[in-house]
Amino acid sequence: MVTETVSRSGFKSNLTSQQKETLDSFRKALHDDGILHDGDTIGTDDAALLRYLRARKFDLPKSKALFAKAQAWRKDPCGEGLTIDQLYVRMDPFDFDKRTEIMQYWPMFFHGVDREGRPLNIQAFGNFDVAKLQAVETPEYHWKSVCLNAESLTREVLPASVKAAGGRDLDGNVSIVDLKGFTLGQFWQVKALAKRSFGLAQDYYPEGLGRLYIVNAPSSFTYVWGVMKPWLSKETQEKVNILGTDYASTLLKYIDAEQLPSTLGGACNCKEGCSLSSRGPWLEGRAERRRADIARFAPELAEDSKADEKIDAIPNGHADTALAKTTSPDDFAVAAEPSQTTLDQARNDDTAHGGADMRFAGLRYLYDVHLDNRQRIVVTL
């Protein structure tokens, strides 16, 4: 049996005397400056604080700035006047409205653990279709599901996995990204959203990734990876393993077949589908945790008998409706374009134009959009 035991410096079980002093100073500085309070759901234990210290190589001022930035974001992460805690109890990341439909076009879920006990986060992009995704729900609603998936890792999934592993240091989740059927045309649809997701993880949930396996990578992924690498820190890049179609033997070196969905070469076939089962140690005692969170962050929902299972009280606003009604394709100026070679390759792809008929309401979700000095809408691809 092959494992990847965490042994590098900077974890609870392997701190130098200087790192211990820095951790104590970090905690005191955060409390003294009112950045951290007892009971904050960002995490107040050593393991949580060490993630921010490792992300900034134990540089105290930089670690403090990163932590403060994350705490500020948590006060209103989606611009709705709701804290991350209030969102979390209203939109359960494991059972939110339209989850089944969204999973058809962007599966993203936790399922099982590797042999070290690290939780598996699985995503598949072969069926990604922005037009169909937006037909299911608004871009704003989908982004909330992405944010809450990230929140669930540090809030529930990782702590439960550490407990199930007997308190062993775990360096984050093992992410498996399946690119079977993924095309260059789909990449142009998902590019800005993927970049935004990486930024979310690195800015507000640092050191949450232990290993990233990209499987079924097509030949065109060489170009895609060249675009993506600058989004990632050097440390994150070193955690990436790019595999082709013969990936199963590599995954099974570190993950028991029973923990891995059969679609990825494992032996698990959950009755409700692995993408919807949320199988893992984090389900133990989850109903009680939900009740406690509801009582603390949304007491008005405490009498709802279904609140523990499915909470979806967030209004489905359409903030970009005005944009959709007042623009036409002629109003757009492209600030940066892919090369002609890339465009030719995309045109030969029968799914390259999957986003051509997308609603303008989703532009800020898919691309970087701003007004230039002539008040034209500029879309950065």
Side-chain angles (χ1 to χ4, degrees):
M1 181 175 70
V2 180
T3 60
E4 291 183 292
T5 303
V6 177
S7 60
R8 59 190 174 93
S9 179
F11 288 83
K12 283 195 305 179
S13 63
N14 193 18
L15 293 175
T16 66
S17 58
Q18 184 175 357
Q19 287 173 335
K20 290 179 181 178
E21 291 179 6
T22 302
L23 174 60
D24 291 339
S25 298
F26 185 44
R27 185 188 303 279
K28 185 177 186 304
L30 292 175
H31 276 289
D32 289 349
D33 290 353
I35 300 171
L36 179 65
H37 312 85
D38 291 340
D40 280 356
T41 56
I42 193 173
T44 61
D45 61 352
D46 288 350
L49 299 188
L50 284 169
R51 288 193 294 108
Y52 289 85
L53 287 169
R54 290 198 305 273
R56 293 298 180 264
K57 297 180 172 57
F58 280 78
D59 182 301
L60 189 56
K62 291 182 179 179
S63 300
K64 182 180 174 183
L66 180 64
F67 196 95
K69 180 180 179 180
Q71 281 285 59
W73 175 82
R74 295 174 69 83
K75 293 178 180 178
D76 188 9
C78 295
E80 296 184 342
L82 295 172
T83 67
I84 191 69
D85 300 311
Q86 292 170 326
L87 283 174
Y88 201 81
V89 297
R90 287 167 169 79
M91 185 176 174
D92 186 345
F94 294 100
D95 189 21
F96 56 86
D97 189 31
K98 303 292 182 66
R99 182 173 184 247
T100 301
E101 293 87 346
I102 288 175
M103 285 288 183
Q104 294 180 37
Y105 307 115
W106 187 343
M108 177 172 56
F109 57 96
F110 289 102
H111 179 285
V113 297
D114 74 353
R115 288 176 178 149
E116 278 300 306
R118 295 179 295 188
L120 307 181
N121 183 261
I122 300 170
Q123 300 188 44
F125 286 96
N127 288 332
F128 182 82
D129 187 308
V130 66
K132 291 180 179 179
L133 186 61
Q134 290 187 12
V136 172
E137 259 303 342
T138 65
E140 296 81 10
Y141 186 88
H142 179 246
W143 178 246
K144 280 186 285 192
S145 74
V146 174
C147 292
L148 294 176
N149 180 76
E151 173 71 9
S152 70
L153 172 64
T154 57
R155 191 184 191 109
E156 297 191 75
V157 173
L158 194 55
S161 299
V162 169
K163 181 179 179 180
R168 179 189 299 124
D169 286 331
L170 301 179
D171 61 344
N173 75 89
V174 173
S175 184
I176 303 172
V177 176
D178 185 6
L179 296 183
K180 183 178 181 179
F182 188 67
T183 66
L184 197 58
Q186 287 171 307
F187 172 67
W188 289 115
Q189 290 188 49
V190 77
K191 173 179 173 285
L193 180 56
K195 182 179 181 181
R196 189 181 182 190
S197 298
F198 278 121
L200 171 78
Q202 293 185 133
D203 290 345
Y204 308 127
Y205 300 96
E207 292 292 304
L209 178 67
R211 182 74 63 184
L212 170 59
Y213 293 101
I214 299 175
V215 304
N216 283 314
S219 57
S220 60
F221 189 73
T222 301
Y223 170 79
V224 172
W225 179 237
V227 175
M228 293 174 58
K229 280 185 70 174
W231 306 344
L232 310 177
S233 67
K234 179 181 178 182
E235 291 74 17
T236 299
Q237 291 178 29
E238 293 173 350
K239 299 176 182 179
V240 177
N241 297 265
I242 301 174
L243 306 173
T245 56
D246 57 346
Y247 61 87
S249 60
T250 299
L251 295 184
L252 292 172
K253 285 182 181 179
Y254 306 107
I255 305 168
D256 288 334
E258 293 74 17
Q259 298 288 325
L260 192 65
S262 60
T263 54
L264 290 170
C268 185
N269 289 287
C270 295
K271 182 178 180 180
E272 62 273 60
C274 291
S275 64
L276 298 175
S277 72
S278 303
R279 172 189 175 185
W282 43 89
L283 293 183
E284 183 177 351
R286 188 161 195 275
E288 289 73 17
R289 293 196 302 272
R290 292 290 294 171
R291 291 190 189 99
D293 275 352
I294 291 167
R296 181 180 177 187
F297 301 114
E300 69 277 11
L301 299 177
E303 296 182 3
D304 185 346
S305 62
K306 296 182 179 180
D308 291 330
E309 302 174 359
K310 192 171 185 178
I311 302 172
D312 186 26
I314 301 174
N316 289 329
H318 296 267
D320 290 328
T321 301
L323 177 64
K325 292 180 178 179
T326 59
T327 56
S328 69
D330 293 335
D331 294 325
F332 291 87
V334 178
E337 297 181 351
S339 67
Q340 186 60 47
T341 300
T342 299
L343 288 173
D344 290 341
Q345 185 173 353
R347 289 191 183 99
N348 291 331
D349 189 329
D350 60 1
T351 62
H353 303 291
D357 60 349
M358 65 184 177
R359 299 177 304 174
F360 291 137
L363 284 170
R364 286 203 291 262
Y365 164 74
L366 290 167
Y367 305 108
D368 297 323
V369 177
H370 64 278
L371 294 177
D372 66 8
N373 56 10
R374 293 171 55 191
Q375 295 302 296
R376 296 180 304 171
I377 297 175
V378 177
V379 182
T380 303
L381 299 174

